[in-house]
């Protein structure tokens, strides 16, 4: 059963940016036909939520921390997206 994950304007803008600049994210979205991106929400099933969460987790590890291993601005945003997707995986 699909779940609707509400997003903040900042999260929505970040996802829009990824769609414009990250081909691996675009390919992920295209390969999961049940993911629907709406104004400030994502509608998806449990498996799709897990896939997006994995993508955001990998991106967090790659670009989300400063030299002191503290989340940078992008990292904090990625963490918020990961947290937002968790209920959809239940």
């Amino acid at each position: 059963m699909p779940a609707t994950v509400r997003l903040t304007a900042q999260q929505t803008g970040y996802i829009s940016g990824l769609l414009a600049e990250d081909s691996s994210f675009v390919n992920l979205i295209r390969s999961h036909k049940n993911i629907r991106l709406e104004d400030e929400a994502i509608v998806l099933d449990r498996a799709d939520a897990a896939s997006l969460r994995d993508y955001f987790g990998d991106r967090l590890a790659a670009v989300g921390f400063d030299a002191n291993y503290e989340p940078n601005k992008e990292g904090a945003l990625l963490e918020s997206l990961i947290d937002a997707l968790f209920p959809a995986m239940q």
Side-chain angles (χ1 to χ4, degrees):
M1 179 173 179
T4 299
V5 176
R6 298 282 171 214
L7 302 173
T8 66
Q10 188 178 23
Q11 290 168 330
T12 301
Y14 182 77
I15 288 173
S16 294
L18 288 176
L19 288 169
E21 68 184 39
D22 186 342
S23 61
S24 65
F25 185 69
V26 171
N27 291 336
L28 174 70
I29 297 298
R30 285 182 182 159
S31 70
H32 291 269
K33 303 288 185 200
N34 294 325
I35 295 176
R36 286 194 334 261
L37 300 172
E38 297 181 352
D39 289 335
E40 287 194 357
I42 300 174
V43 179
L44 69 180
D45 63 24
R46 186 178 298 163
D48 293 332
S51 293
L52 276 183
R53 197 163 185 254
D54 288 346
Y55 170 86
F56 292 139
D58 290 346
R59 186 160 176 98
L60 173 64
V63 302
F65 296 97
D66 64 18
N68 295 320
Y69 300 105
E70 294 294 326
N72 57 28
K73 184 177 178 181
E74 184 173 2
L77 188 52
L78 286 161
E79 287 177 340
S80 75
L81 284 164
I82 291 166
D83 291 345
L85 290 168
F86 184 74
M89 296 173 55
Q90 302 304 307

